[in-house]
Amino acid sequence: MNKLLFRYGIRKNLSLTKINKVQRFLDILAPKKPNVTKNHRKNHLQLIEDFLQTYSEQNCKHPTDKKPSFSCSVESNEQNCKHPFDKTSSFSCSMEGDSISLLFKFHKEGSKIGVSLVSNTVSLCASKRDFSVGIQVHGMVIVNGFLSNVYVGSSLITFYSNFGGIVDAYQVFDEMPVRNVVSWSTMVYAFALENDLDMCLKLYKGMMGLALRPNEFTFTILLSACMGSGCFGHGKSIHCHIIVMGYGSYVHVANAVLSMYCKCGEVKDAFEVFESMKSKDLVSWNSMICGYGQQGHGIQAIELFEEMKKRKVRPDSITFLGVLSSCRHSGFVKEGMSYFYSMVDYGVKPELDHYSCIVDLLGRARLLEEAREFIKKMPIQPNGVIWGSLLMSCRLQGNFWLGIEAAENRLALEPWSTSTHLQLVNLYAGLGYWDQAARVQKLMKDNGLKRDPGYSWIEISNQVFRFTAEDISVGHIKSIASLVDMLVDHMKSFGVEEIAYSE
């Protein structure tokens, strides 16, 4: 881990942006909420160093001033610190909702500030996406030595990772003098947000090498990273570790295992996990129903939903979304419509995702006009996804005029959608309206719209290989092309015609 290179040494040599030297730390604790983006935010270490420089100069200029006390009593405050990856705490604090104001108030009064207040302030900055205040609190942490507390350091890691600053997050982790399972788990979480499974696994091995026992949150994070990367082999290995360490009986851990198997297409294994759970919550039922729906097992999803109702488990919006998704993938129009209209019986108000499922369900069943009327009668404004579902069904079934109407409605909501422009070009071309097709193509060019190629992947020996269309850079491309040709010939021998598909 120490061999990894980070930007801290480089940043120290960067020229510092001069800020108003008379502006004290307290004056910028509650600024107007900035519009922060990854590409436009200030270099956080520059701002921290500015604060440190200003703080030092002001102390020199006013040696007789009463300085606020930033003392930290670790013994009395560490047990009050909360962090979401600490299994010994509930991460609830009465001052969390207004911790920034409290920090401001305590500083003004010269009161002692505990690490729990600092940790909660950093967490609040992360949840509110208030980058400017967060980096100033980081400056205060450095000045007053709060970084020695693992909860403050862990909160800073979460703060930077929420802004996409994975390098900055690791720098904080690397500089922490003391680390526990909370700080290690938080760093794993940061890399999981970046879909960097390799680093997640390296950190996990680092924990084990230091004889640190991972907690249940560590494993749920690792399983989430495996799902995001589509790496089933590593997911199974993590499941084995969970069983060995005795976390298999934890409901939220079992739910994460179940979701991992479903996302990786192993619904049989997922159901075995589901059946073996001694206690199930609503998330357990939802995960299994949605897993069946994602893999096209509509009958099993419906049967499980009915079993869920028999056991008096009250469904929520996610439950109905999984059931409706299962119906649309299996073509169960009657059942899907019935479940949709039964949502009100359980006090669940249909949302855009539920309406989108019904539009897709009707479109796949070639009931295009019914889908159109359903959209018109919606009590809420349809979004681009709903019009896109109708558009795709129209294209597949050759209803060009209705497809053009759907495409234009979607472009009115999402004018940046490259795929919709391309589909509209194909629709116009299918009708022989070449001028209109050329006009849309020119519009795309003028607006700089380019198609983002999709990709597929396959896992072989715990390694994930990605493929994009017309990508000849992968190894064994000749062998892959030959195999594809063989499969095409095999399909033709069964009378399956080759279909040219373009977006």
Side-chain angles (χ1 to χ4, degrees), residues 434-471:
W434 303 109
D435 291 341
Q436 285 81 350
R439 176 177 59 84
V440 176
Q441 287 179 321
K442 184 178 183 302
L443 183 64
M444 290 180 61
K445 184 178 180 181
D446 293 342
N447 292 331
L449 296 176
K450 295 182 179 179
R451 177 180 176 181
D452 294 326
Y455 62 87
S456 59
W457 67 87
I458 186 173
E459 180 188 359
I460 301 175
S461 301
N462 290 338
Q463 185 176 358
V464 178
F465 298 88
R466 293 190 177 188
F467 301 90
T468 57
E470 300 179 359
D471 181 11

Side-chain angles (χ1 to χ4, degrees), residues 379-394:
I380 54 179
Q381 186 72 21
N383 61 5
V385 175
I386 290 175
W387 287 112
S389 297
L390 181 60
L391 171 59
M392 181 61 68
S393 299
C394 291

Side-chain angles (χ1 to χ4, degrees), residues 98-115:
D98 200 30
S99 57
I100 295 177
S101 299
L102 275 174
L103 191 62
F104 180 92
K105 179 176 179 292
F106 286 176
H107 180 87
K108 277 283 189 183
E109 295 174 349
S111 304
K112 291 184 179 181
I113 299 177
V115 291

Side-chain angles (χ1 to χ4, degrees), residues 154-270:
S154 300
S155 297
L156 284 169
I157 294 171
T158 304
F159 170 75
Y160 285 116
S161 62
N162 282 359
F163 287 95
I166 186 63
V167 176
D168 304 326
Y170 187 86
Q171 180 184 309
V172 173
F173 175 78
D174 195 44
E175 293 176 353
M176 289 175 65
V178 179
R179 308 185 192 107
N180 65 359
V181 65
V182 176
S183 47
W184 281 89
S185 298
T186 308
M187 197 64 246
V188 174
Y189 168 76
F191 278 108
L193 289 178
E194 300 293 318
N195 291 320
D196 193 339
L197 178 60
D198 290 338
M199 278 304 303
C200 291
L201 295 174
K202 287 179 181 178
L203 286 166
Y204 175 67
K205 292 178 181 177
M207 290 178 63
M208 301 298 287
L210 294 173
L212 280 174
R213 181 180 174 84
N215 59 25
E216 61 267 31
F217 298 108
T218 313
F219 287 116
T220 56
I221 295 164
L222 287 169
L223 290 169
S224 177
C226 292
M227 282 190 288
S229 302
C231 201
F232 179 56
H234 288 304
K236 287 196 297 183
S237 298
I238 297 299
H239 186 195
C240 292
H241 285 228
I242 289 170
I243 295 172
V244 170
M245 294 192 177
Y247 289 117
S249 60
Y250 288 61
V251 176
H252 56 283
V253 176
N255 289 339
V257 173
L258 193 158
S259 296
M260 185 273 297
Y261 280 116
C262 287
K263 289 287 179 67
C264 294
E266 302 295 332
V267 289
K268 184 178 179 181
D269 293 331

Side-chain angles (χ1 to χ4, degrees), residues 204-484:
Y204 175 67
K205 292 178 181 177
M207 290 178 63
M208 301 298 287
L210 294 173
L212 280 174
R213 181 180 174 84
N215 59 25
E216 61 267 31
F217 298 108
T218 313
F219 287 116
T220 56
I221 295 164
L222 287 169
L223 290 169
S224 177
C226 292
M227 282 190 288
S229 302
C231 201
F232 179 56
H234 288 304
K236 287 196 297 183
S237 298
I238 297 299
H239 186 195
C240 292
H241 285 228
I242 289 170
I243 295 172
V244 170
M245 294 192 177
Y247 289 117
S249 60
Y250 288 61
V251 176
H252 56 283
V253 176
N255 289 339
V257 173
L258 193 158
S259 296
M260 185 273 297
Y261 280 116
C262 287
K263 289 287 179 67
C264 294
E266 302 295 332
V267 289
K268 184 178 179 181
D269 293 331
F271 187 71
E272 289 181 1
V273 173
F274 178 79
E275 284 284 272
S276 66
M277 293 175 65
K278 295 181 179 179
S279 61
K280 305 178 181 71
D281 60 8
L282 182 59
V283 176
S284 311
W285 291 92
N286 287 349
S287 298
M288 196 65 244
I289 291 173
C290 292
Y292 275 136
Q294 290 168 354
Q295 302 302 324
H297 300 282
I299 295 176
Q300 291 88 334
I302 291 174
E303 289 176 349
L304 193 61
F305 178 62
E306 295 297 333
E307 178 65 22
M308 174 184 176
K309 292 192 295 182
K310 288 179 182 178
R311 298 195 184 186
K312 306 300 181 182
V313 181
R314 190 175 182 84
D316 63 359
S317 61
I318 298 176
T319 314
F320 279 103
L321 189 60
V323 173
L324 294 177
S325 179
S326 302
C327 290
R328 70 169 176 169
H329 285 303
S330 302
F332 298 152
V333 177
K334 182 179 178 181
E335 292 83 354
M337 297 301 296
S338 176
Y339 286 130
F340 177 79
Y341 289 117
S342 70
M343 291 176 65
V344 293
D345 298 335
Y346 295 91
V348 180
K349 185 178 180 181
E351 300 172 0
L352 284 170
D353 288 338
H354 302 98
Y355 286 104
S356 178
C357 279
I358 295 299
V359 172
D360 195 34
L361 171 65
L362 295 172
R364 289 171 183 243
R366 299 180 176 271
L367 302 173
L368 299 179
E369 289 299 330
E370 287 83 349
R372 181 188 185 187
E373 289 301 315
F374 182 83
I375 294 175
K376 287 184 176 181
K377 293 178 180 179
M378 285 175 54
I380 54 179
Q381 186 72 21
N383 61 5
V385 175
I386 290 175
W387 287 112
S389 297
L390 181 60
L391 171 59
M392 181 61 68
S393 299
C394 291
R395 280 199 55 232
L396 294 175
Q397 298 170 37
N399 193 326
F400 296 112
W401 290 113
L402 184 54
I404 290 172
E405 178 185 343
E408 290 176 346
N409 277 288
R410 186 179 187 185
L411 286 176
L413 297 170
E414 300 176 354
W416 60 86
S417 175
T418 304
S419 61
T420 307
H421 281 86
L422 292 172
Q423 291 180 76
L424 187 56
V425 168
N426 291 333
L427 289 168
Y428 279 132
L431 290 170
Y433 284 43
W434 303 109
D435 291 341
Q436 285 81 350
R439 176 177 59 84
V440 176
Q441 287 179 321
K442 184 178 183 302
L443 183 64
M444 290 180 61
K445 184 178 180 181
D446 293 342
N447 292 331
L449 296 176
K450 295 182 179 179
R451 177 180 176 181
D452 294 326
Y455 62 87
S456 59
W457 67 87
I458 186 173
E459 180 188 359
I460 301 175
S461 301
N462 290 338
Q463 185 176 358
V464 178
F465 298 88
R466 293 190 177 188
F467 301 90
T468 57
E470 300 179 359
D471 181 11
I472 60 173
S473 62
V474 295
H476 309 291
I477 186 62
K478 292 183 178 179
S479 301
I480 294 172
S482 298
L483 182 59
V484 171

Side-chain angles (χ1 to χ4, degrees), residues 7-8 10-21 28 40-55 131-132 135-136 138-139 142 160 168 171:
R7 297 179 295 185
Y8 181 64
I10 301 174
R11 283 179 171 176
K12 278 191 172 180
N13 298 325
L14 294 176
S15 60
L16 299 177
T17 305
K18 293 184 179 180
I19 61 175
N20 189 354
K21 298 298 181 183
I28 53 178
H40 296 89
R41 66 178 175 85
K42 275 191 172 184
N43 184 302
H44 85 278
L45 282 176
Q46 288 181 337
L47 295 176
I48 290 174
E49 291 182 11
D50 285 340
F51 162 67
L52 296 178
Q53 182 179 346
T54 304
Y55 186 88
F131 186 76
S132 178
I135 56 175
Q136 298 302 323
H138 188 182
I142 295 174
Y160 285 116
D168 304 326
Q171 180 184 309

